[in-house]
Amino acid sequence: PAAVVYRVPSADSAVDLANASPFGLAGTVFSDDLDKAKKLAERLDTGMVWINSTSRSAPDLPFGGVKRSGVGRELAKFGINEFANKKLIRTPQL
C-alpha cells in the first residue's frame, strides 16, 4: 500500500480535493474536535470514513465504496441483501 499526502489551506479544500477523486472507498479524518470531524466526514464522498483511526472493520459493519470503488455493501445486514434474489409480484387492484 501507498499513501499520498497533500497540504491544503483549509478543511473545505481538503473535502474538495478528496471528492475530486474518481474513487471513494474510504477516508480518515483526524481532529481534536470530534464534532467538527463528524461534520467533515459527512461531506466526504466515500463509502466509509474513520475518525481518528485507520481503517478497521468487523463482520457486523457494512463495507463498501462509491464511484469507481464499487456499488453496494458487504457484511452486516446490508451485505446479505446484496446476495439475495428478490422478486416483486404485483397484481392490479380491482
Side-chain angles (χ1 to χ4, degrees), residues 12 19 21 29-31 36 43 47 51 58-59 61 66-67 69-70 73 77 79 88 91:
D12 289 336
N19 289 345
S21 172
V29 176
F30 289 96
S31 176
K36 186 175 181 179
R43 295 173 54 201
I51 296 176
L61 298 175
V66 297
K67 300 191 251 185
S69 291
R73 298 291 175 266
K77 66 181 179 179
L88 169 69
T91 58

Short mmCIF file of all heavy atoms in Angstrom, two decimals, residues 12 19 21 29-31 36 43 47 51 58-59 61 66-67 69-70 73 77 79 88 91:
data_model
loop_
_atom_site.label_atom_id
_atom_site.label_comp_id
_atom_site.label_asym_id
_atom_site.label_seq_id
_atom_site.Cartn_x
_atom_site.Cartn_y
_atom_site.Cartn_z
N ASP A 12 -12.25 22.89 3.84
CA ASP A 12 -13.06 22.89 2.62
C ASP A 12 -12.23 22.44 1.42
O ASP A 12 -12.70 21.68 0.58
CB ASP A 12 -13.64 24.28 2.35
CG ASP A 12 -14.74 24.66 3.32
OD1 ASP A 12 -15.38 23.74 3.90
OD2 ASP A 12 -14.97 25.87 3.51
N ASN A 19 -13.00 14.68 -2.73
CA ASN A 19 -14.18 14.35 -3.53
C ASN A 19 -13.93 14.44 -5.03
O ASN A 19 -14.72 13.92 -5.82
CB ASN A 19 -15.36 15.25 -3.13
CG ASN A 19 -15.89 14.90 -1.76
OD1 ASN A 19 -15.60 13.85 -1.21
ND2 ASN A 19 -16.67 15.80 -1.19
N SER A 21 -11.63 12.90 -6.52
CA SER A 21 -11.11 11.59 -6.93
C SER A 21 -12.21 10.76 -7.59
O SER A 21 -13.37 10.81 -7.17
CB SER A 21 -10.58 10.83 -5.71
OG SER A 21 -10.26 9.50 -6.06
N VAL A 29 -10.48 10.95 8.94
CA VAL A 29 -10.40 12.33 9.40
C VAL A 29 -9.76 12.32 10.78
O VAL A 29 -10.21 11.60 11.67
CB VAL A 29 -11.81 12.98 9.49
CG1 VAL A 29 -11.72 14.38 10.07
CG2 VAL A 29 -12.48 12.99 8.12
N PHE A 30 -8.71 13.11 10.94
CA PHE A 30 -8.05 13.25 12.24
C PHE A 30 -8.32 14.65 12.76
O PHE A 30 -8.09 15.63 12.05
CB PHE A 30 -6.54 13.02 12.13
CG PHE A 30 -6.18 11.59 11.87
CD1 PHE A 30 -5.94 11.12 10.59
CD2 PHE A 30 -6.07 10.69 12.93
CE1 PHE A 30 -5.60 9.80 10.35
CE2 PHE A 30 -5.74 9.37 12.71
CZ PHE A 30 -5.50 8.93 11.41
N SER A 31 -8.81 14.74 13.99
CA SER A 31 -9.08 16.05 14.59
C SER A 31 -9.24 15.91 16.10
O SER A 31 -9.71 14.88 16.58
CB SER A 31 -10.36 16.64 13.99
OG SER A 31 -10.69 17.86 14.62
N LYS A 36 -16.51 18.58 14.84
CA LYS A 36 -16.01 19.09 13.56
C LYS A 36 -15.61 17.92 12.65
O LYS A 36 -15.90 17.94 11.44
CB LYS A 36 -14.82 20.01 13.80
CG LYS A 36 -14.32 20.72 12.58
CD LYS A 36 -13.20 21.70 12.95
CE LYS A 36 -12.69 22.44 11.74
NZ LYS A 36 -11.64 23.40 12.09
N ARG A 43 -19.30 15.05 4.76
CA ARG A 43 -19.13 15.72 3.47
C ARG A 43 -18.26 14.92 2.49
O ARG A 43 -18.23 15.24 1.30
CB ARG A 43 -18.51 17.10 3.69
CG ARG A 43 -19.43 18.04 4.46
CD ARG A 43 -18.77 19.34 4.81
NE ARG A 43 -18.22 20.00 3.62
CZ ARG A 43 -17.26 20.92 3.67
NH1 ARG A 43 -16.75 21.31 4.83
NH2 ARG A 43 -16.81 21.46 2.56
N GLY A 47 -17.56 5.58 0.77
CA GLY A 47 -18.45 4.59 1.37
C GLY A 47 -18.25 4.44 2.87
O GLY A 47 -19.16 4.04 3.59
N ILE A 51 -12.81 8.08 11.96
CA ILE A 51 -12.39 9.30 12.65
C ILE A 51 -11.34 8.92 13.68
O ILE A 51 -11.57 8.04 14.53
CB ILE A 51 -13.59 10.01 13.31
CG1 ILE A 51 -14.56 10.48 12.21
CG2 ILE A 51 -13.12 11.18 14.16
CD1 ILE A 51 -15.83 11.11 12.72
N ALA A 58 -15.27 -4.85 10.83
CA ALA A 58 -15.72 -6.01 11.59
C ALA A 58 -16.90 -6.63 10.84
O ALA A 58 -17.55 -5.94 10.04
CB ALA A 58 -16.14 -5.59 13.00
N PRO A 59 -17.18 -7.90 11.06
CA PRO A 59 -18.25 -8.56 10.31
C PRO A 59 -19.63 -7.93 10.50
O PRO A 59 -20.49 -8.08 9.65
CB PRO A 59 -18.24 -9.99 10.87
CG PRO A 59 -16.89 -10.18 11.43
CD PRO A 59 -16.45 -8.82 11.91
N LEU A 61 -20.21 -4.74 10.56
CA LEU A 61 -20.22 -3.42 9.96
C LEU A 61 -20.24 -3.53 8.44
O LEU A 61 -19.53 -4.36 7.87
CB LEU A 61 -18.97 -2.63 10.37
CG LEU A 61 -18.82 -2.35 11.86
CD1 LEU A 61 -17.48 -1.67 12.12
CD2 LEU A 61 -19.96 -1.50 12.37
N VAL A 66 -18.00 3.90 -3.07
CA VAL A 66 -18.82 4.58 -4.07
C VAL A 66 -17.94 4.94 -5.27
O VAL A 66 -16.73 4.73 -5.24
CB VAL A 66 -19.48 5.85 -3.48
CG1 VAL A 66 -20.42 5.49 -2.34
CG2 VAL A 66 -18.45 6.86 -3.00
N LYS A 67 -18.55 5.47 -6.28
CA LYS A 67 -17.87 5.85 -7.53
C LYS A 67 -17.17 4.61 -8.11
O LYS A 67 -17.78 3.55 -8.16
CB LYS A 67 -16.91 7.02 -7.31
CG LYS A 67 -17.59 8.28 -6.80
CD LYS A 67 -16.67 9.46 -6.83
CE LYS A 67 -16.24 9.90 -5.47
NZ LYS A 67 -15.44 11.12 -5.48
N SER A 69 -15.09 2.78 -6.82
CA SER A 69 -14.69 1.86 -5.76
C SER A 69 -15.79 0.87 -5.42
O SER A 69 -15.75 0.21 -4.40
CB SER A 69 -14.29 2.64 -4.50
OG SER A 69 -13.09 3.33 -4.73
N GLY A 70 -16.79 0.79 -6.27
CA GLY A 70 -17.80 -0.23 -6.07
C GLY A 70 -19.18 0.30 -5.78
O GLY A 70 -19.38 1.48 -5.51
N ARG A 73 -22.78 -2.96 -0.55
CA ARG A 73 -22.04 -3.20 0.67
C ARG A 73 -21.90 -4.69 0.93
O ARG A 73 -22.77 -5.47 0.57
CB ARG A 73 -22.75 -2.56 1.88
CG ARG A 73 -22.88 -1.06 1.81
CD ARG A 73 -21.51 -0.40 1.97
NE ARG A 73 -21.56 1.04 1.80
CZ ARG A 73 -21.34 1.66 0.66
NH1 ARG A 73 -21.09 1.00 -0.43
NH2 ARG A 73 -21.36 2.97 0.60
N LYS A 77 -26.17 -6.54 7.76
CA LYS A 77 -27.46 -6.76 7.09
C LYS A 77 -27.48 -6.19 5.68
O LYS A 77 -28.19 -6.68 4.81
CB LYS A 77 -28.60 -6.17 7.92
CG LYS A 77 -28.57 -4.67 8.05
CD LYS A 77 -29.73 -4.17 8.90
CE LYS A 77 -29.67 -2.66 9.03
NZ LYS A 77 -30.78 -2.15 9.83
N GLY A 79 -25.01 -6.31 3.52
CA GLY A 79 -24.34 -7.28 2.67
C GLY A 79 -25.24 -8.46 2.32
O GLY A 79 -25.19 -8.97 1.21
N LEU A 88 -40.49 -9.13 -7.17
CA LEU A 88 -41.72 -8.39 -6.94
C LEU A 88 -42.78 -9.00 -7.83
O LEU A 88 -42.59 -9.15 -9.03
CB LEU A 88 -41.53 -6.92 -7.28
CG LEU A 88 -42.82 -6.08 -7.34
CD1 LEU A 88 -43.41 -5.94 -5.93
CD2 LEU A 88 -42.58 -4.74 -7.96
N THR A 91 -50.15 -7.57 -8.46
CA THR A 91 -51.42 -7.78 -9.17
C THR A 91 -52.16 -6.46 -9.20
O THR A 91 -52.08 -5.66 -8.26
CB THR A 91 -52.26 -8.85 -8.47
OG1 THR A 91 -52.51 -8.45 -7.13
CG2 THR A 91 -51.57 -10.20 -8.49
#
